[in-house]
Amino acid sequence: MSIKHILFDLDGTLLPMVQDEFVKFYMPLLAKEYISRGVRIEPESFIGAVWAGYKAMVKNDGSRTNREAFWSYIDPELPVSAEESEKIALDFYEKGFNRAICTTQPTPLSDRIVKTARAKGIETYLATNPVFPRCATMNRIRWAGLDASDFRVITTYEDCVYCKPNPEYFRMILEEFRLDPEECLMVGNDVEEDLSIRSLGVKTFLVTDTMENKKNLPVSSEYAGTLDELLKFVESVGE
């Protein structure tokens, strides 16, 4: 198998975590940030609105950025303007959000995997679901002990117009960098979100340490294993 490009998921893959634990920890912190700024919200309904905004991004049809999809949805739900609301959110994602590292299990294996791939001449891409602002994604990259400069692209809500599991999200990366699907590998832990790239002819490696399969979908992946096994797999590429 000739692998020239590896697309990596972040949350649950290069940054091991249980997604539900991560979200349940940081969402109330985000609500508290708004309250501390004098914004009158009821935390539970606010969190519900954020979730609905997330779903609006997942359903994005390519007609606007995920950022626009999120804020246009959540704007009527908040007593402050979308501009002011986003400023509060970005301040949170720069600072208070970092407390959520306690819900993750960073491992030096992740950086070794990426750097091993690059040492072999394999291009690496961070295909993390673009539902977060760039500052939040850069912080999670730092939590994971990764070097952002190792990736040709880091997808965020400012730049993308689709989300996983929509294959169009992956198609945009393939087309932007003119990648041959047969020379690519997608590495991820979410059966629904990450394996959807297989419909474009890209092979996958399903990371099993914190595998997510909330819909109990049939699992179909060319490769699967732990991060330790992924490292050995990457080391063996081309040999």
Side-chain angles (χ1 to χ4, degrees), residues 167-218:
E168 292 304 312
Y169 159 75
F170 293 112
R171 192 191 305 277
M172 289 196 70
I173 297 174
L174 298 181
E175 290 182 352
E176 178 181 353
F177 296 98
R178 299 181 181 180
L179 308 184
D180 180 347
E182 293 186 358
E183 297 177 342
C184 297
L185 179 74
M186 175 67 204
V187 174
N189 72 308
D190 192 298
V191 172
E192 180 184 18
E193 292 186 355
D194 298 316
L195 303 191
S196 65
I197 197 173
R198 297 181 75 249
S199 66
L200 303 180
V202 174
K203 292 181 173 62
T204 56
F205 189 110
L206 181 64
V207 175
T208 56
D209 301 84
T210 50
M211 187 181 81
E212 298 265 0
N213 190 9
K214 292 178 180 175
K215 295 184 179 178
N216 291 315
L217 299 172

Side-chain angles (χ1 to χ4, degrees), residues 36-50:
S36 74
R37 302 291 188 95
V39 181
R40 295 188 176 183
I41 57 167
E42 196 282 313
E44 199 167 305
S45 61
F46 170 80
I47 291 170
V50 172

Side-chain angles (χ1 to χ4, degrees), residues 77-90:
E77 306 293 319
L78 296 173
V80 291
S81 69
E83 291 77 15
E84 177 63 21
S85 186
E86 185 175 30
K87 183 178 184 302
I88 294 171
L90 292 179

